[in-house]
Amino acid sequence: MSYYLTTAIFYPTASPALHSLFEAIGADALARYQRLLGNETRFLTGMDEHSAQVEPLARQHATDPQALVDEWAANWRSAFDHFEISYDRFIRTTDSDHVEASVEMVRRAQASGDIYKGTYAGWFCPGDNEFKTESQLVDGHCPDHPTLELQWLEEENYFFRLSKYQEALERLYAENPGFCEPEHFRNEVLAWLREGLRDFSVSRAGISWGIPFPGDPDHRIYVWFDALTNYVTGAGFPGDRDAFAKWWPADVHVIGKNITRFHCLYWPAMLMSAGLVLPRQVFAHGFMTIRGEKMSKTRGNVIRPDDAVALFGVDGVRYVVLRDIPFDRDADITLRGLVRRYNADLANDLGNLVNRTVSMSARYTDGALPPVSSAQAPADLELKATAQQAVADYHAAMERLQFDEALASMMTLAGAGNGYAESQAPWNLKREGESQRVAEVLSVMAETCRLLGHLLAPFTPATATRLAEQLGAPAPYDARGAGGPGLATLLTWGAGPDGWQTGRAEPLFPRTEVPDEGGSLDDTPPEDPMRDTASPGVAT
Ligand SMILES: [Zn+2]
């Protein structure tokens, strides 16, 4: 089976902030999970480079727009690599195949009679490049960008006939409500649909930074036919028919909840107009908030990625954000809470179980363990049953992108493993000379740790590899989670190596401490997925 997933392409800034990384980390966990299942997986992420603000910023910094976004894209790629985001392609909307794809999408809409020239007049927010209706304004400002002055624009634009797709989209949601998940964000989309769809502007005149509009070189393609098209470009559209047949439709577009309108209404209509099949699902995640507000520079409530890594390590950051923020809704986080979570789950429960298992094996059995099938005491079978239930719960949660629940299932097993160690007390058995039972108990603990390693692999890939090495049961897949026999096999109780020999115990997740207040909240430039930001920052 093949599996194709995407993040939104991100609004261009000098480097990613934690909430962009949050989306990428969530999508990455899903990509790795799919590879571990044995699916051939393609994972697309990237940058939305034709923002209206790039040109003036480039001028301000005495460079040209392309050089500016080249530098930013390089920063983003290296940040994504650092955070183990296992993308197959980092797409940039300035890539030549993407320019070709955008033009082709417009041409197809033109051929379907869905593009017409009209005059647009309205309030335009430069923060998200959107025209705002009067009813959307708060005190005369865009609610998302209260500090920016709106511009009254009147101009000749090309429009896409979204209104023509009213019935088709109603039918889509009647027949396949799961097209947009989760339900609470879908309900917003359905409310917009009930209000009636309005045609939207697809070109801008008088700018040079952007893709020339087919048939009218005075215009540039404006946002949606550029940005949204990246998902088909990344699958090979229009030139690579074999790739496109293989990867399209996408299995899921992972996006932020602020851009559901465009992904759940505009995008399917654009695809229908182009005669292309729709993606299987759009999944909108919530935002991490601090003190109840979305992180932003202007609000001064930003956790910088580097500060988070200093506290938790890369894998620790990946774990705590996905564990503490349910992917499908907003959640308030505090550094104190993340530190508590990290220490409780990773340093204590999980780290302790692995550490005591590997060190007791070395001490009591020279690391040699019998097959776990020899352990058949009631307590052994009970832990086995707990493990099987945890694995089933984990899969069910991963299917729904409920990463926090998947990790909670994983931690249930870690807790049960520690409870088993306490109740079986191999240190007492050793003193009493019960050597055979000691080895059995340790094999049950090692098997539990082996399963935990595979369950952790989508989330903390580097540490999962180290865990497997300490256990002496190296993971049979590559650093991206591909090439293994599939999770169904790997997560079967008793699938560990014969003649198991454990290695040397080393702490996987060192304890961490809450930093001094204020030391870690500071001023990373804000940026958001796609068009939702106050102002992009520039490295100075
Ligand atoms: Zn705005």
Side-chain angles (χ1 to χ4, degrees):
M1 285 231 306
S2 69
Y3 192 93
Y4 176 38
L5 78 160
T6 69
T7 65
I9 47 174
F10 295 95
Y11 189 90
T13 57
S15 64
L18 194 58
H19 53 90
S20 295
L21 287 165
F22 173 62
E23 176 170 320
I25 291 167
D28 183 67
L30 181 61
R32 290 174 181 276
Y33 174 71
Q34 291 295 333
R35 293 191 201 106
L36 288 165
L37 285 176
N39 292 325
E40 197 183 355
T41 300
R42 182 166 179 77
F43 175 18
L44 183 76
T45 188
M47 188 179 278
D48 185 11
E49 299 188 343
H50 290 127
S51 154
Q53 297 185 70
V54 167
E55 206 168 23
L57 275 172
R59 217 176 301 124
Q60 205 177 309
H61 289 261
T63 184
D64 65 276
Q66 188 64 52
L68 187 66
V69 292
D70 284 352
E71 185 189 323
W72 288 355
N75 294 346
W76 276 69
R77 285 186 67 132
S78 79
F80 276 23
D81 291 341
H82 182 55
F83 276 87
E84 305 172 286
I85 310 301
S86 60
Y87 56 84
D88 292 280
R89 175 171 175 185
F90 188 93
I91 194 169
R92 304 175 52 192
T93 52
T94 51
D95 289 341
S96 61
D97 62 340
H98 175 71
V99 171
E100 189 193 339
S102 291
V103 166
E104 177 62 15
M105 286 295 285
V106 173
R107 281 207 190 106
R108 289 188 179 207
Q110 288 169 329
S112 299
D114 291 339
I115 303 287
Y116 65 91
K117 206 169 194 180
T119 302
Y120 199 98
W123 291 109
F124 181 83
C125 171
D128 43 31
N129 289 333
E130 270 185 58
F131 281 99
K132 301 288 169 184
T133 61
E134 292 287 345
S135 65
Q136 286 174 301
L137 303 183
V138 176
D139 298 330
H141 289 97
C142 168
D144 292 331
H145 305 102
T147 59
L148 294 185
E149 286 303 316
L150 294 175
Q151 302 161 4
W152 179 259
L153 290 186
E154 271 181 49
E155 62 176 39
E156 270 209 321
N157 279 337
Y158 290 95
F159 283 79
F160 176 75
R161 232 179 267 285
L162 181 64
S163 54
K164 178 176 142 185
Y165 293 91
Q166 176 81 30
E167 279 176 30
L169 289 169
E170 285 169 2
R171 205 157 48 238
L172 167 67
Y173 283 99
E175 288 167 2
N176 180 18
F179 179 77
C180 173
E181 293 285 353
E183 189 183 7
H184 45 267
F185 295 138
R186 173 166 74 240
N187 287 338
E188 293 178 357
V189 171
L190 294 178
W192 294 322
L193 192 54
R194 275 193 299 274
E195 283 174 14
L197 298 175
R198 294 165 49 164
D199 299 346
F200 62 90
S201 166
V202 297
S203 78
R204 291 288 303 280
I207 51 169
S208 59
W209 181 239
I211 301 171
F213 199 82
D216 191 339
D218 292 340
H219 283 248
R220 292 288 177 273
I221 296 176
Y222 163 63
V223 187
W224 310 116
F225 271 82
D226 178 353
L228 293 165
T229 297
N230 93 87
Y231 303 129
V232 289
T233 311
F237 180 83
D240 190 341
R241 286 165 176 274
D242 291 342
F244 195 62
K246 177 174 181 176
W247 297 114
W248 194 258
D251 290 272
V252 64
H253 296 318
V254 174
I255 63 162
K257 64 167 188 174
N258 56 326
I259 48 178
T260 49
R261 179 193 297 271
F262 316 116
H263 284 79
C264 301
L265 296 173
Y266 291 16
W267 179 228
M270 288 163 56
L271 288 166
M272 290 175 194
S273 178
L276 298 175
V277 288
L278 307 188
R280 297 201 171 87
Q281 186 171 93
V282 175
F283 190 98
H285 66 80
F287 290 143
M288 57 173 74
T289 61
I290 292 188
R291 298 191 286 272
E293 289 185 313
K294 198 176 165 190
M295 278 200 243
S296 85
K297 184 180 181 177
T298 42
R299 295 183 186 120
N301 61 342
V302 172
I303 298 178
R304 289 179 12 147
D306 288 351
D307 292 338
V309 170
L311 277 177
F312 306 117
V314 165
D315 276 357
V317 172
R318 291 173 57 105
Y319 180 89
V320 292
V321 296
L322 292 181
R323 174 80 161 104
D324 261 14
I325 306 166
F327 205 58
D328 66 345
R329 70 199 88 131
D330 294 348
D332 210 49
I333 57 169
T334 62
L335 265 187
R336 195 170 295 276
L338 295 180
V339 166
R340 207 182 303 121
R341 173 67 77 188
Y342 172 93
N343 283 336
D345 283 13
L346 298 181
N348 293 353
D349 284 7
L350 185 98
N352 186 29
L353 178 64
V354 175
N355 200 266
R356 72 207 299 197
T357 300
V358 176
S359 54
M360 280 194 286
S361 297
R363 212 173 326 137
Y364 297 163
T365 70
D366 278 331
L369 297 178
V372 73
S373 56
S374 63
Q376 297 288 337
D380 308 343
L381 299 179
E382 196 184 319
L383 185 56
K384 175 184 175 183
T386 301
Q388 286 168 332
Q389 187 60 51
V391 166
D393 293 345
Y394 175 93
H395 284 306
M398 291 300 284
E399 279 289 305
R400 294 179 292 112
L401 280 69
Q402 294 306 116
F403 305 124
D404 62 319
E405 291 178 19
L407 289 170
S409 305
M410 191 274 305
M411 285 309 303
T412 301
L413 177 57
N418 279 314
Y420 173 88
E422 298 300 328
S423 73
Q424 300 306 302
W427 47 90
N428 287 340
L429 295 168
K430 180 68 183 175
R431 217 172 30 237
E432 290 155 11
E434 302 266 4
S435 307
Q436 193 192 329
R437 184 59 190 155
V438 169
E440 284 172 15
V441 166
L442 289 173
S443 77
V444 168
M445 289 170 62
E447 179 65 0
T448 304
C449 292
R450 187 186 67 80
L451 297 186
L452 290 169
H454 296 311
L455 297 174
L456 269 176
F459 299 95
T460 65
T463 314
T465 302
R466 289 175 53 216
L467 188 164
E469 281 163 3
Q470 286 186 33
L471 276 180
Y477 39 80
D478 67 20
R480 297 156 54 83
L487 278 182
T489 301
L490 292 169
L491 293 175
T492 300
W493 186 265
D498 294 333
W500 196 332
Q501 186 71 36
T502 58
R504 218 161 59 93
E506 279 166 37
L508 292 172
F509 296 101
R511 279 187 73 82
T512 192
E513 279 178 25
V514 181
D516 292 343
E517 211 55 55
S520 53
L521 288 179
D522 90 327
D523 60 352
T524 299
E527 92 298 327
D528 285 317
M530 286 193 161
R531 311 277 172 172
D532 176 50
T533 190
S535 66
V538 180
T540 49

